[in-house]
Amino acid sequence: MRPAAPATIKDVARLAGCGIATASRVLNKSGPASTEMRERVERAARDLGFNFNAAGRALQSRKSMTIGCLVPSLANPVFAEAVQGVQSELLGSGYQLLISCSNYDDDADNAAITTLLENNVDGIIATMVAPNRSTALMQTKQRDIPVSLMFHDPIDGMVTAYVDNFVAAAEVARRFAAFGHTRVGFLALRFSTSDRSRNRYAGFYKQCRTSGLAQPSLIEISEEDAHHPERLAAILASYPDVTALFASNDFLAIAVQKATRHLGWQVPQDLSVVGFDGIEVGRLLETPLSTIETSPEAMGRQAAQSLLNALQGLGLKQRPPLPFSFREGETLAAPNPKRTDDDRVAAQPSSVHPAQDQNQSRTNP
Amino acid sequence: MRPAAPATIKDVARLAGCGIATASRVLNKSGPASTEMRERVERAARDLGFNFNAAGRALQSRKSMTIGCLVPSLANPVFAEAVQGVQSELLGSGYQLLISCSNYDDDADNAAITTLLENNVDGIIATMVAPNRSTALMQTKQRDIPVSLMFHDPIDGMVTAYVDNFVAAAEVARRFAAFGHTRVGFLALRFSTSDRSRNRYAGFYKQCRTSGLAQPSLIEISEEDAHHPERLAAILASYPDVTALFASNDFLAIAVQKATRHLGWQVPQDLSVVGFDGIEVGRLLETPLSTIETSPEAMGRQAAQSLLNALQGLGLKQRPPLPFSFREGETLAAPNPKRTDDDRVAAQPSSVHPAQDQNQSRTNP
DNA sequence: TTGTAAGCGTTATCAA
DNA sequence: TTGATAACGCTTACAA
């Protein structure tokens, strides 16, 4: 037996003994119908196991009831949680989620948006490498498709669900200062392609100056470095006078903790570390991570809410940044006055990462 | 200016000065066309910025070029990574990913499948609470829609991308035995709703008996317990003679490490812990987690490949289980002979979790 | 209150 | 090699 073709509204109408329009009106509760007709149609639909065909509907109504979501990667729990937030907010809304990942690639970002557009998504939620100069995103304006960003600080006229990275990062500098640190660093992955990372650095930098700290060292590392504790250790060792490090995300911060063990340093005695994001595992570490706690899920939810509002014709409105908080943890303490440069040099491995002064000057705000 | 309606194939045909059919043939390379015609059409399409409308296509071709994916939650990195694997495998295929989460709820599972079906997905990739008794999944058979499961051990006639949970868990028992443990436990979350968890327990149980260990204690805890180290500590303390614990996933294993600190126990000296999954952070812990290392991403990829094959008419074929490996880590060691029951009792908090003997007997394989 | 029919964008059939 | 034209399943004027 060949696969039974799903029942169409035509089948329902025939079984109910009425016109297609009537069936449609009843099933959609979109127009008048006598009680008797209503019952006949509903019964027929039930008996046939009728379901609307989304394609037919989309074609006619010019609404796909689908929302496109683009994130760099689902392997990063921060984005995965955000998507989870989007998903749960969309749950009862009738909208489906079409998903796409760019692997942090600008071209892939644009290609993905284009594909989503081809699929007639009614709205888009995205975190991109460069939303402000995405040609594909421009098309959404023309087609009047609402876009809601996640994680990005506000840019252009785009609506975004975010935490104020600048302000949050400044808080870290303030904490460093309060503990008496003077030489601090900012550790980043993919610094050049992440506006968030750059804004965090900017806020951190600004507050460092304001609080009278030395200009923070900007330490940009590769994915490779981050995955090899020895390599990361070597890099850390090349910044001997830094006593507190602000990592641009929690994974990096945890990797730093691991790397310090290679150097025989103690966190926070020999080096204070603060992360960003507030991922759950940070709490479970033997030395719980001090970090800026955010809620990616909340960002996803807010982005979805904004979009849903826009889709209901309520307008696309920018909301205030989402709250963050400083999670105390145990990786931030006063610098160890006993530790000398000599200790550091002694512990320093042979392979050394060159200090990247050019980077620092390039990226000063 | 009102939103410009996207160009249709009709517009292309008009601009190229040809019939719609010709335009379609050229654009799809689906039929003959003179070189000149080809050029005219392609040029017109380019000038208009023409893109196919997925809805029109889907309606006509009965193919949505969309694949539905259902997982319990994206907040769990294991599933998130799997979806990432699916996503990357689908990348060049022309298929889009429609995603849905059930939050580990059986009803939501079924509802989600139904919704995916309404959206005319061409295939489904899923991890569900109970795929074997999902009425919604039955519909896929009727409609001849291929389904590829992830994580589930093989059931019925369904194709699945998985690691052999039974065999992998047996390996843990073997390791415990090799280190001289005799009283061991299995710690599980959501045991009753996870076939994976149950299969792991079954394999673990079997090998424990084979290796001459005592019958393992089955310790089932709640989400709440898992998030509160004190509570988990109390539970652990109520199993004073267990010297090695197999946690049904890495997060649980990490939570155990954290909880033991509340009891003043050392891992692995006072308690050995082995996890399951092999998540990345496990490596970064001060005491790196010993665990069964799997690749959720590979599962996603394989599931997607299988589905893609089926969609190409190559048939839906079950592949052998994906490999796993035992990651040594540092949380597994020989039991500490010096530790006595008295020590344990002394360390035991006041609030005590009742041993759940009924669970153990209920779930014996 | 109901039904007929047009049309959404596409592909496929069939003549020309 | 081309181009009308008929579906595909649905919504919605417009008529009855």
Side-chain angles (χ1 to χ4, degrees):
Chain A
M1 141 189 156
R2 72 171 172 295
T8 74
I9 201 169
K10 238 177 192 160
D11 301 324
V12 174
R14 192 178 321 121
L15 184 59
C18 69
I20 319 179
T22 307
S24 172
R25 262 174 312 225
V26 171
L27 265 11
N28 288 300
K29 309 187 202 317
S30 63
S34 64
T35 324
E36 196 232 335
M37 192 80 273
R38 172 154 282 121
E39 276 168 5
R40 288 221 315 265
V41 171
E42 272 161 0
R43 166 159 237 298
R46 214 172 327 110
D47 290 353
L48 291 171
F50 169 79
N51 279 320
F52 285 108
N53 175 315
R57 258 187 159 176
L59 188 54
Q60 158 66 28
S61 63
R62 335 316 282 302
K63 299 241 146 295
S64 66
M65 293 309 283
T66 277
I67 284 175
C69 182
L70 172 62
V71 291
S73 165
L74 288 174
N76 183 335
V78 170
F79 297 123
E81 276 177 37
V83 176
Q84 168 74 30
V86 169
Q87 171 71 46
S88 30
E89 203 63 31
L90 251 38
L91 202 53
S93 71
Y95 284 94
Q96 292 315 114
L97 229 213
L98 214 44
I99 221 163
S100 226
C101 301
S102 71
N103 288 303
Y104 306 91
D105 180 273
D106 199 12
D107 295 333
D109 261 342
N110 278 294
I113 295 285
T114 302
T115 309
L116 291 176
L117 251 20
E118 285 181 42
N119 278 269
N120 301 315
V121 293
D122 297 334
I124 288 180
I125 294 174
T127 301
M128 305 172 67
V129 172
N132 45 334
R133 53 178 167 73
S134 163
T135 53
L137 254 198
M138 297 289 91
Q139 308 233 347
T140 61
K141 303 266 182 196
Q142 292 169 30
R143 290 181 49 178
D144 215 28
I145 290 176
V147 175
S148 193
L149 300 178
M150 298 187 295
F151 298 100
H152 296 291
D153 291 82
I155 27 170
D156 291 349
M158 319 224 66
V159 163
T160 178
Y162 72 115
V163 298
D164 193 321
N165 289 292
F166 190 96
V167 171
E171 174 67 18
V172 175
R174 217 172 281 118
R175 300 265 173 169
F176 281 177
F179 272 102
H181 291 277
T182 54
R183 291 290 310 168
V184 302
F186 180 82
L187 183 69
L189 194 63
R190 250 177 260 131
F191 185 80
S192 54
T193 64
S194 166
D195 57 339
R196 285 147 275 151
S197 217
R198 288 197 305 277
N199 285 334
R200 285 171 204 164
Y201 181 65
F204 184 62
Y205 183 96
K206 174 88 178 309
Q207 187 61 42
C208 280
R209 306 316 298 256
T210 307
S211 295
L213 306 193
Q215 167 177 321
S217 303
L218 173 60
I219 312 174
E220 190 177 355
I221 64 171
S222 69
E223 196 98 33
E224 270 297 282
D225 295 331
H227 281 92
H228 295 277
E230 336 73 69
R231 295 177 61 161
L232 185 51
I235 295 169
L236 294 179
S238 72
Y239 291 86
D241 48 359
V242 166
T243 60
L245 204 51
F246 177 24
S248 69
N249 70 57
D250 284 351
F251 272 100
L252 231 42
I254 294 173
V256 167
Q257 284 191 66
K258 171 105 187 170
T260 54
R261 278 172 234 135
H262 278 252
L263 298 170
W265 298 357
Q266 297 270 327
V267 170
Q269 293 85 347
D270 299 318
L271 181 69
S272 283
V273 181
V274 169
F276 199 107
D277 287 336
I279 62 177
E280 202 48 37
V281 282
R283 305 192 123 98
L284 298 173
L285 301 180
E286 181 143 353
T287 311
L289 184 63
S290 302
T291 186
I292 295 289
E293 184 159 313
T294 69
S295 171
E297 217 231 337
M299 287 194 247
R301 296 193 100 100
Q302 189 187 88
Q305 285 163 3
S306 295
L307 205 60
L308 248 19
N309 278 341
L311 257 11
Q312 285 168 23
L314 300 179
L316 193 54
K317 285 194 285 284
Q318 176 63 53
R319 306 233 225 130
L322 286 156
F324 64 86
S325 64
F326 185 82
R327 187 197 289 168
E328 293 283 345
E330 297 171 16
T331 60
L332 171 56
N336 185 345
K338 290 176 303 190
R339 203 187 51 195
T340 66
D341 278 3
D342 283 348
D343 291 338
R344 289 242 164 173
V345 170
Q348 180 174 336
S350 53
S351 147
V352 168
H353 186 78
Q356 302 177 320
D357 286 318
Q358 71 284 13
N359 268 355
Q360 295 180 33
S361 51
R362 185 185 73 205
T363 52
N364 285 351
Chain B
M1 141 190 155
R2 72 169 173 295
T8 74
I9 200 169
K10 240 175 191 163
D11 300 324
V12 174
R14 191 176 324 120
L15 184 59
C18 68
I20 321 179
T22 307
S24 174
R25 255 170 280 151
V26 171
L27 264 12
N28 288 300
K29 308 188 203 317
S30 63
S34 64
T35 324
E36 197 233 335
M37 193 78 272
R38 170 155 281 120
E39 275 169 6
R40 288 221 314 266
V41 171
E42 272 161 0
R43 167 158 236 296
R46 213 172 326 110
D47 291 354
L48 291 170
F50 169 80
N51 279 321
F52 285 107
N53 175 316
R57 262 188 157 172
L59 187 55
Q60 156 66 28
S61 65
R62 301 28 234 320
K63 299 242 145 298
S64 65
M65 293 309 283
T66 276
I67 283 175
C69 181
L70 171 62
V71 290
S73 165
L74 288 174
N76 183 336
V78 171
F79 298 123
E81 277 177 36
V83 176
Q84 169 73 31
V86 170
Q87 171 72 46
S88 29
E89 203 61 32
L90 252 39
L91 202 53
S93 71
Y95 283 94
Q96 291 315 112
L97 229 213
L98 214 44
I99 221 163
S100 225
C101 301
S102 71
N103 288 302
Y104 306 90
D105 179 274
D106 199 13
D107 295 333
D109 261 342
N110 278 294
I113 295 285
T114 301
T115 309
L116 291 177
L117 251 21
E118 284 180 42
N119 279 269
N120 301 317
V121 293
D122 296 334
I124 288 179
I125 294 174
T127 302
M128 306 172 67
V129 173
N132 45 335
R133 53 178 169 72
S134 163
T135 52
L137 254 198
M138 298 288 91
Q139 308 233 348
T140 61
K141 303 267 182 195
Q142 292 169 31
R143 290 182 48 180
D144 215 27
I145 290 176
V147 174
S148 192
L149 300 178
M150 297 187 296
F151 298 100
H152 296 292
D153 291 83
I155 28 170
D156 292 347
M158 319 223 66
V159 163
T160 178
Y162 71 114
V163 297
D164 193 320
N165 288 292
F166 190 96
V167 170
E171 174 66 18
V172 175
R174 217 170 282 119
R175 300 266 173 168
F176 281 176
F179 272 102
H181 291 277
T182 54
R183 291 290 309 169
V184 302
F186 181 82
L187 183 69
L189 195 62
R190 250 177 259 127
F191 185 80
S192 56
T193 64
S194 166
D195 57 339
R196 285 146 276 150
S197 219
R198 287 197 305 276
N199 285 334
R200 285 171 204 165
Y201 181 65
F204 184 62
Y205 183 96
K206 174 88 178 308
Q207 186 63 43
C208 279
R209 306 318 297 256
T210 307
S211 296
L213 306 193
Q215 168 176 320
S217 303
L218 172 61
I219 311 174
E220 191 176 356
I221 65 171
S222 69
E223 197 98 31
E224 271 297 282
D225 296 331
H227 282 92
H228 294 277
E230 338 70 72
R231 294 177 61 162
L232 186 50
I235 294 170
L236 294 179
S238 72
Y239 292 86
D241 48 359
V242 167
T243 59
L245 204 52
F246 177 24
S248 69
N249 70 58
D250 285 350
F251 272 101
L252 230 42
I254 295 172
V256 166
Q257 285 191 66
K258 172 104 187 171
T260 54
R261 278 172 234 137
H262 278 253
L263 298 170
W265 299 356
Q266 296 271 326
V267 170
Q269 293 85 346
D270 299 318
L271 181 69
S272 283
V273 181
V274 169
F276 199 108
D277 286 336
I279 61 177
E280 202 49 36
V281 281
R283 304 192 124 97
L284 297 173
L285 301 180
E286 182 141 353
T287 311
L289 183 62
S290 303
T291 187
I292 294 289
E293 185 158 312
T294 68
S295 171
E297 217 231 337
M299 286 192 247
R301 297 193 100 100
Q302 189 186 88
Q305 285 163 1
S306 296
L307 205 61
L308 248 19
N309 278 341
L311 256 12
Q312 285 169 21
L314 301 179
L316 193 55
K317 286 195 285 284
Q318 176 61 53
R319 304 234 225 129
L322 286 156
F324 64 87
S325 65
F326 185 82
R327 187 198 289 167
E328 293 282 345
E330 297 171 16
T331 60
L332 171 56
N336 185 345
K338 289 177 302 186
R339 203 188 54 198
T340 67
D341 278 2
D342 282 350
D343 290 339
R344 290 242 164 171
V345 170
Q348 181 174 335
S350 53
S351 148
V352 167
H353 186 79
Q356 300 177 323
D357 286 319
Q358 71 285 14
N359 267 357
Q360 295 181 32
S361 50
R362 186 186 72 208
T363 52
N364 285 351

